[in-house]
Amino acid sequence: MIYRTDYHIHTLFSDGKADPEEYIAAASVAGINEIGFSEHLNLFSSNQEWCMDPGRIREYIRHIKGLMKINKKTEIRIGLEVDFFTGGEKEIYDFVSPYGLDYVIGSVHYFGETTVDSSEDFYRERDIDDLYTSYFELLYEAVESGLFDIIGHADLLRIYNFKPSYDPEFLYRELASRMSRHDVAYEINTNGRNRILGDFYPDRRFLHLFRQKNVPVCVNSDAHFPERVGQYFDEAYRLLKDAGYTEMCTFKKRERFMVPADFSNL
Ligand SMILES: [Zn+2]
Ligand SMILES: [Zn+2]
């Protein structure tokens, strides 16, 4: 059996397109055992219309905790997807710590003042070789910050299919080493399939590097619509099986639990 979790969900509290209740119903239909909400939180950038107003965090938590009480069929978790910025570590820690979340996803959307997932133009005016190394440096910092339980869509900069001229394997190898050392999990994020990339994050060619370093993994949809909860999960599970994974991680109150996953029937 596979205990199916989906910890990366956006609702109307940030840039998702429906209420949390609709995602819980969709999770039940999709056979998801445990759903976790992860609204965008950005404490630093002014350009944040896709993020939850930080002033609404108590309302968000109260709302999801209320849903935990009345939904017995689907386990519900509450988290955040937090934008990582170098130098912002203390502010993030101070903001997030008091709320008793189940997990925090750390994501690098921003490169300087710009998000890497908003427009292809961002890539057209840049040296992609340099961009890859610089972006991974930010990922390393996010990993080593100690702020996050899960690193979100680790190689988001693949979104528009711009590729470096070199084989980036060494970057993934280094990322896996640092995640192992700092005990941080990653996600297979299936939402890249819905973008120009047409595939998951991180690059499926390198999953074995994370497995070799025993980096814990979970599979997440990054759903902004209820119908995308659990989307493409069987394919992601097959990739984990091929990489040699036999377990996935779950979270509760910032504690990680490893759950055996039987991928044999896929
Ligand atoms: Zn994201
Ligand atoms: Zn997201």
Side-chain angles (χ1 to χ4, degrees):
M1 147 200 185
I2 299 174
Y3 186 75
R4 292 169 183 255
T5 62
D6 190 347
Y7 288 133
H8 195 147
I9 303 283
H10 299 284
T11 78
L12 288 168
F13 276 100
S14 61
D15 62 344
K17 302 296 182 257
D19 289 318
E21 289 82 344
E22 296 174 69
Y23 290 84
I24 293 168
S28 177
V29 171
I32 299 296
N33 303 96
E34 190 168 311
I35 185 171
F37 295 95
S38 59
E39 305 299 355
H40 288 288
L41 181 86
N42 183 326
L43 298 176
F44 306 103
S45 173
S46 55
N47 181 15
Q48 47 174 301
E49 70 269 16
W50 58 86
C51 294
M52 181 171 67
D53 174 353
R56 292 187 74 197
I57 183 139
R58 287 180 193 282
E59 178 193 348
Y60 166 57
I61 291 172
R62 207 180 314 121
H63 188 85
I64 303 299
K65 287 200 168 163
L67 295 175
M68 287 175 182
K69 290 203 184 95
I70 57 174
N71 282 278
K72 297 298 172 205
K73 189 173 169 213
T74 308
E75 284 284 323
I76 298 171
R77 298 287 181 267
I78 181 159
L80 288 170
E81 181 184 14
V82 177
D83 272 305
F84 175 75
F85 288 92
T86 305
E89 292 87 347
K90 185 176 183 316
E91 284 93 331
I92 294 173
Y93 179 83
D94 288 347
F95 186 90
V96 167
S97 299
Y99 293 112
L101 300 170
D102 290 309
Y103 58 88
V104 179
I105 299 173
S107 292
V108 179
H109 299 110
Y110 278 83
F111 191 83
E113 290 293 303
T114 319
T115 48
V116 301
D117 58 342
S118 302
S119 165
E120 284 182 68
D121 295 342
F122 172 83
Y123 296 86
R124 293 218 176 85
E125 55 202 40
R126 279 184 167 80
D127 179 327
I128 304 300
D129 288 358
D130 286 349
L131 181 63
Y132 259 71
T133 50
S134 303
Y135 186 85
F136 272 74
E137 286 294 335
L138 286 176
L139 286 173
Y140 302 156
E141 287 182 36
V143 166
E144 295 179 351
S145 70
L147 293 168
F148 307 121
D149 304 291
I150 305 167
I151 295 298
H153 42 61
D155 52 6
L156 180 64
L157 80 176
R158 285 169 55 245
I159 186 166
Y160 296 111
N161 249 336
F162 286 81
K163 295 176 179 146
S165 62
Y166 52 81
D167 180 352
E169 178 177 329
F170 70 100
L171 296 171
Y172 290 84
R173 194 179 289 284
E174 182 65 24
L175 180 63
S177 292
R178 297 199 193 208
M179 292 182 88
S180 175
R181 215 178 306 140
H182 292 271
D183 199 27
V184 180
Y186 72 108
E187 62 173 7
I188 291 192
N189 182 310
T190 62
N191 195 31
R193 176 74 104 202
N194 300 313
R195 312 303 296 264
I196 287 174
L197 171 66
D199 204 355
F200 305 154
Y201 315 102
D203 192 328
R204 59 177 68 204
R205 293 178 299 160
F206 303 124
L207 295 182
H208 65 284
L209 300 173
F210 295 86
R211 173 69 192 112
Q212 281 166 10
K213 294 288 182 187
N214 276 320
V215 183
V217 67
C218 50
V219 174
N220 292 331
S221 68
D222 204 350
H224 291 65
F225 307 87
E227 56 269 29
R228 290 188 177 172
V229 175
Q231 193 182 31
Y232 309 124
F233 274 24
D234 279 353
E235 183 181 346
Y237 294 146
R238 274 193 292 276
L239 293 179
L240 290 181
K241 176 188 179 184
D242 292 346
Y245 276 95
T246 57
E247 56 185 13
M248 293 187 288
C249 55
T250 65
F251 294 91
K252 189 170 189 176
K253 302 267 180 228
R254 308 291 310 265
E255 196 176 343
R256 192 179 67 224
F257 304 89
M258 299 309 299
V259 178
D262 180 1
F263 297 127
S264 59
N265 289 326
L266 291 170

